[in-house]
Amino acid sequence: TNVPPPHSTIRPGSPVPVNTNNPGVRKAARLGVYRYNNSSNDLFLFKESQIRKAMVQIVRGLKYMLHVEIKRTMCEKRDHSSLDSCHFQREKNLQRMLRCYFEVWITPWTHKVHIPLVHC
């Protein structure tokens, strides 16, 4: 992650903006989508289409705060497909886009992930 220089005005522990193409951000967004898919009653899986804004806070790990657009894919949940191979829905009447806010807390040294908030 991008750690601000020591002379920065950002206080330790404060959330800082991070590039939406950052690999950690992309991983956190996918984890948020998995959590959304596990709790939704939709027949199809959703997948992130655009990460609109990302912040990270260093607090006993990395807490990502993400604004993400997710779209319905053509993969049905019961097939348990890998999201990487799922394409977005092409049929107009089945297309759906949601704007979501995810908080994803990753503790790399314990390999633990906690997703306290998924709001779509």
Side-chain angles (χ1 to χ4, degrees), residues 66-120:
L66 308 172
H67 293 269
V68 182
E69 286 182 2
I70 66 174
K71 289 183 179 176
R72 185 183 275 148
T73 68
M74 298 191 315
C75 296
E76 291 188 24
K77 273 189 181 178
R78 62 189 158 106
D79 295 337
H80 295 293
S81 303
S82 161
L83 280 179
D84 291 332
S85 60
C86 290
H87 299 286
F88 293 116
Q89 194 60 251
R90 290 193 187 100
E91 279 188 56
K92 274 275 187 239
N93 62 331
L94 290 176
Q95 289 178 353
R96 186 148 182 231
M97 188 272 286
L98 300 171
R99 288 199 168 104
C100 302
Y101 174 74
F102 299 149
E103 286 186 2
V104 180
W105 195 354
I106 300 173
T107 316
W109 56 91
T110 61
H111 305 288
K112 287 196 173 147
V113 174
H114 177 55
I115 305 169
L117 188 60
V118 171
H119 181 73
C120 296

Side-chain angles (χ1 to χ4, degrees), residues 21-40:
N21 287 322
N22 174 296
V25 168
R26 296 174 75 78
K27 178 183 176 186
R30 177 60 57 93
L31 291 167
V33 168
Y34 282 143
R35 168 84 187 277
Y36 173 81
N37 282 331
N38 286 336
S39 62
S40 95

